[in-house]
Amino acid sequence: MTSNVPGPAPRSSEELLAALDDDQRAVALSLTGPLCVLAGAGTGKTRAITYRIAHGVRTGAYAAPTVLAVTFTARAAGEMRSRLRDLGIPGVQARTFHAAALRQLSYFWPSAIGGGVPRIQEHKAGLVAEAGGRLGLGVDRVAVRDLAAEIEWAKVSLVTAEEYTTRATKEGREGAAGYDLSTVARLLSVYEDVKSERGVIDFEDVLLLMVGILSERDDVAAEVRRQYRHFVVDEYQDVSPLQQRLLDLWLGDRREICVVGDVSQTIYSFTGATPAFLTDFPSRYRDARVVRLVRDYRSTPQVVSLANQVLAKAGRHRSSAAVELVAQRPSGPAARFEAFDDDVAEARGIAARIAALEADGVPRSEIAVLYRTNGQAEALEQALAEAGIGYLVRGGERFFSRREVREAVALLRGAVRSAGDAPMPEVVRDVLAAAGWAPEAPTARGAVRERWESLQSLVALADQLAATRQADMAGLIAELEERAAAQHAPTVEGVTLASLHAAKGLEWDAVFLAGVSEGLLPISLAEGEDAIAEERRLLYVGITRAREHLMISYGRARTVGGRAGRKPSRFLDGIWPREGAAARPRRDRARERALLAEDNPADAELFERLRTWREQVATATGKPAYTVLHDTTLTAIATARPKELRQLGVLRGIGAAKLEAYGPQVLAVIRGEDVVVEAPAD
């Protein structure tokens, strides 16, 4: 289904090139031959390669249907297709490796193999459990997960069951789930038997089967190569040997390939991904052009500087292919480094800072809290819930699977024919109003608010499509169908909670990196120099997700009252501004105020007003000043600048009794009002 309203007029080649910086323009002008783009975080790599494709099509160097752009996530593929359509370039194939291979496999299977393509088993757990049972292995849920991951590594690394023991030994792998290499090798063999008996294939088989067909059938390979003549591969540092083998077969003896990657964002080696194909590209193609994108348009100089420092300390583990970012944005706030007593205090401190950012106008959808392990999310969810801050966990229920979204899309689909000449955004509002949407957000929390936010995101998407593509209702439905297939959800209002791995490729105005301590980052399971180096790159990825606001924190103890044995991550040695804070004596008051003033003069002025108020309370009540509110609590208040009692209540040192006794007065001090403190009546 396509829109009846024409899209935006395609831009001329001159206009396309004028919209790029010098390095991006060099990418867009390199239309033929092998091209390697070393693109740092936030340097506009997606812009560079989409404009390159658009420029190639506009100048006649490419025919849009002959271009295959390969990405690593369905979301990234959907975004690339959307950008190209916005440039007036439809018809380019932008897909993941798996999606492209599955499409080809489905087309060629009847003639190359016969019959229909076997059913794809989405999850390996049942197959792995049955294979383990046949071998007499005791496999619980965790063991099944680990064994499935090892099977995936073997397959994407092109390692057969017969070769597994030798190759795994060479790679320094130690088996999985407590089983030795020979046992895992037997499991690999039996796993394939179970699949064959059930008549199913797994996701890796999609690529393996297509590799087999292209290798053995010259006629099929020739047809694929006639269709696709120009290739672009994004996130090339994450290519596995299996994906590279498929890419080689797509290419044949041709050289029309552009690869884009960043070795500093290599964080998936445990899955079989390797940056070697990116770093060796100039050696493989001797005449390849190499372009470095170093201008960071995403982050402030403060964020960029911190990211560069973290990489610089990698020493000999830093690749020569790594780029040093050069910030292009105006100066912003300094990165914050905070140590808390425990994980609960850390979560509450993050919630308080989020509340302050929201009060300053930062939307919740532009805030993320990132962590190394999913187990860290529980305390964060609890703290955000207590503070009344909506959130969504990335990796939770998919947007297009939500009941309200499915119902809303069905209603919108039914309105296509009856829309008439009314503006599309107006029709969408009328239709969704019947489903519970309203122009103003509800005051209720929980499910009611989440439902409204889902519907509101559809309204916002409709406004965006009307403005950028002049889309009508049919165009909106087509966009929703494509997004649903790619799981490319529109923006939903809520703080994002995500692991560092899940945050790759995303960005927010404000980012909180939680639990940046030894044992968590690098994680205690990381053994060997290569594993530690990858953990450093994971921190780099987390830092570079932030556009403006960045806070890095950790809890000295895991539980309330636990042993305060944690230290900041080694990756921040020489960077963390208060090294050894847990072990050093308490700073004197003058030093505390000096540091606060250096960080933010406005906070320092508020800190002094709070101290003056506290002295008045202490005098009036006959109590020592520190028993009213401690200096550390005043510092937290001056930093967070809460505007409501609920925001004040999540700060460290503010219990229920103190919130009731002093809360209204503290908020008045923050507002700059004169507060009269009176002695309690006898």
Side-chain angles (χ1 to χ4, degrees):
M1 184 181 297
T2 58
S3 171
N4 294 322
V5 178
R11 300 181 183 183
S12 68
S13 295
E14 292 74 17
E15 289 175 319
L16 288 169
L17 295 175
L20 304 175
D21 68 28
D22 291 344
D23 297 331
Q24 294 168 344
R25 193 175 302 114
V27 173
L29 288 170
S30 300
L31 296 177
T32 59
L35 173 64
C36 178
V37 183
L38 301 177
T43 56
K45 67 179 179 66
T46 304
R47 181 182 183 86
I49 57 179
T50 52
Y51 276 57
R52 176 182 184 268
I53 294 170
H55 177 54
V57 173
R58 292 294 295 152
T59 58
Y62 310 150
T66 68
V67 178
L68 177 59
V70 187
T71 69
F72 274 77
T73 66
R75 181 182 183 278
E79 180 182 352
M80 186 175 293
R81 289 193 297 271
S82 180
R83 289 197 187 195
L84 286 166
R85 282 198 298 270
D86 289 344
L87 292 173
I89 308 294
V92 172
Q93 298 298 305
R95 303 181 182 278
T96 64
F97 270 103
H98 280 88
L102 180 58
R103 190 179 190 190
Q104 294 174 17
L105 188 66
S106 300
Y107 180 80
F108 290 111
W109 185 278
S111 60
I113 307 298
V117 178
R119 180 173 60 86
I120 299 175
Q121 186 77 25
E122 290 191 20
H123 304 289
K124 290 184 175 66
L127 301 172
V128 174
E130 183 171 340
R134 292 187 185 186
L135 290 173
L137 306 180
V139 286
D140 57 14
R141 181 176 59 84
V142 175
V144 166
R145 180 198 64 194
D146 293 347
L147 289 168
E150 191 68 5
I151 290 171
E152 290 174 9
W153 173 84
K155 299 187 77 166
V156 303
S157 301
L158 298 174
V159 176
T160 65
E162 294 74 22
E163 300 167 330
Y164 174 79
T165 302
T166 301
R167 284 285 302 278
T169 300
K170 183 179 179 180
E171 298 289 338
R173 303 183 79 86
E174 299 177 352
Y179 295 107
D180 59 24
L181 297 179
S182 61
T183 301
V184 175
R186 287 189 293 132
L187 181 78
L188 280 167
S189 179
V190 176
Y191 171 80
E192 295 299 326
D193 292 340
V194 172
K195 277 197 303 140
S196 297
E197 292 171 13
R198 292 193 182 184
V200 298
I201 59 176
D202 60 28
F203 278 106
E204 292 74 39
D205 289 331
V206 173
L207 273 64
L208 284 165
L209 288 167
M210 200 60 221
V211 163
I213 292 174
L214 292 172
S215 300
E216 298 172 7
R217 291 286 299 268
D218 292 340
D219 57 331
V220 173
E223 186 172 347
V224 170
R225 292 165 191 164
R226 281 194 299 271
Q227 171 66 48
Y228 298 118
R229 301 181 181 183
H230 304 276
F231 295 85
V232 177
V233 186
D234 195 11
E235 303 289 358
Y236 195 56
Q237 78 278 353
D238 290 330
V239 165
S240 69
L242 174 56
Q243 291 165 332
Q244 181 63 48
R245 177 63 178 143
L246 179 60
L247 180 61
D248 289 340
L249 288 165
W250 283 340
L251 275 165
D253 58 1
R254 296 167 302 169
R255 303 161 59 78
E256 297 303 319
I257 180 171
C258 166
V259 299
V260 187
D262 181 6
V263 292
S264 301
Q265 296 189 68
T266 304
I267 58 174
Y268 295 113
S269 64
F270 61 92
T271 67
T274 171
F277 297 115
L278 175 62
T279 56
D280 294 346
F281 191 87
S283 299
R284 188 174 186 186
Y285 296 96
R286 295 290 183 180
D287 60 339
R289 182 169 188 184
V290 178
V291 178
R292 289 175 177 259
L293 300 184
V294 300
R295 294 179 175 89
D296 187 318
Y297 297 97
R298 174 189 299 162
S299 305
T300 62
Q302 288 79 2
V303 174
V304 169
S305 175
L306 179 57
N308 284 337
Q309 288 181 69
V310 168
L311 277 192
K313 292 181 175 295
R316 62 187 180 86
H317 291 288
R318 183 178 184 182
S319 170
S320 60
V323 303
E324 183 172 351
L325 299 172
V326 180
Q328 303 298 301
R329 288 190 57 185
S331 183
R336 292 173 176 268
F337 298 84
E338 299 285 351
F340 295 89
D341 287 343
D342 49 63
D343 288 352
V344 172
E346 180 187 21
R348 289 176 175 170
I350 289 173
R353 183 62 187 151
I354 288 174
L357 286 173
E358 188 178 9
D360 287 341
V362 180
R364 289 179 182 176
S365 60
E366 287 296 345
I367 302 174
V369 186
L370 310 180
Y371 36 79
R372 178 62 179 86
T373 68
N374 290 326
Q376 295 170 256
E378 183 178 355
L380 293 162
E381 291 186 53
Q382 180 66 31
L384 292 174
E386 289 175 354
I389 298 172
Y391 64 89
L392 56 101
V393 180
R394 186 166 179 80
E397 183 184 18
R398 293 181 171 183
F399 177 83
F400 287 100
S401 298
R402 298 177 186 175
R403 180 177 178 180
E404 66 268 19
V405 173
R406 288 187 280 109
E407 292 175 348
V409 172
L411 290 172
L412 292 171
R413 187 179 287 111
V416 170
R417 293 184 178 179
S418 60
D421 296 327
M424 183 266 284
E426 182 180 313
V427 175
V428 170
R429 283 169 167 77
D430 289 343
V431 171
L432 296 186
W437 175 83
E440 297 297 327
T443 56
R445 301 174 186 170
V448 173
R449 179 62 184 249
E450 290 176 4
R451 177 183 177 85
W452 181 88
E453 288 173 347
S454 295
L455 298 178
Q456 172 61 23
S457 68
L458 296 176
V459 171
L461 178 62
D463 291 344
Q464 175 192 335
L465 292 178
T468 59
R469 300 184 200 162
Q470 295 78 53
D472 60 5
M473 285 298 297
L476 172 64
I477 295 302
E479 177 75 10
L480 288 172
E481 289 174 347
E482 180 173 312
R483 282 173 173 259
Q487 289 302 324
H488 181 195
T491 301
V492 177
E493 195 66 23
V495 173
T496 298
L497 299 181
S499 70
L500 286 164
H501 283 100
K504 177 93 163 24
L506 303 175
E507 59 186 79
W508 296 269
D509 284 347
V511 169
F512 294 81
L513 302 182
V516 185
S517 61
E518 286 293 301
L520 283 173
L521 195 67
I523 198 166
S524 57
L525 298 175
E527 297 181 357
E529 294 182 350
D530 290 342
I532 297 297
E534 183 149 325
E535 293 286 302
R536 179 185 294 275
R537 294 193 295 270
L538 199 56
L539 175 58
Y540 173 82
V541 167
I543 291 170
T544 54
R545 299 311 93 195
R547 298 191 190 104
E548 184 173 359
H549 304 279
L550 176 65
M551 178 171 136
I552 301 177
S553 61
Y554 76 99
R556 297 187 182 100
R558 186 175 68 85
T559 58
V560 178
R563 187 176 68 86
R566 288 180 180 160
K567 297 179 180 180
S569 168
R570 71 187 73 173
F571 303 143
L572 296 172
D573 287 349
I575 299 175
W576 190 275
R578 302 172 185 175
E579 293 183 34
R584 286 207 312 265
R586 182 181 305 162
R587 290 187 297 268
D588 59 46
R589 184 175 299 163
R591 175 62 176 157
E592 184 78 36
R593 293 200 297 274
L595 283 171
L596 186 61
E598 179 182 329
D599 186 48
N600 188 331
D603 289 351
E605 189 272 334
L606 175 56
F607 178 83
E608 290 300 333
R609 285 196 283 115
L610 288 166
R611 287 189 65 248
T612 299
W613 163 81
R614 184 183 63 180
E615 292 295 335
Q616 294 173 353
V617 174
T619 301
T621 59
K623 297 179 180 179
Y626 72 87
T627 64
V628 178
L629 290 176
H630 196 276
D631 269 2
T632 55
T633 304
L634 297 186
T635 301
I637 295 170
T639 300
R641 303 180 73 90
K643 295 184 177 181
E644 300 175 8
L645 287 175
R646 66 178 179 84
Q647 296 171 349
L648 179 63
V650 300
L651 296 179
R652 177 186 175 192
I654 303 288
K658 290 188 177 182
L659 185 66
E660 181 179 356
Y662 307 128
Q665 294 183 41
V666 169
L667 294 180
V669 173
I670 294 172
R671 291 192 296 268
E673 300 173 4
D674 292 330
V675 178
V676 178
V677 178
E678 299 178 351
D682 293 334

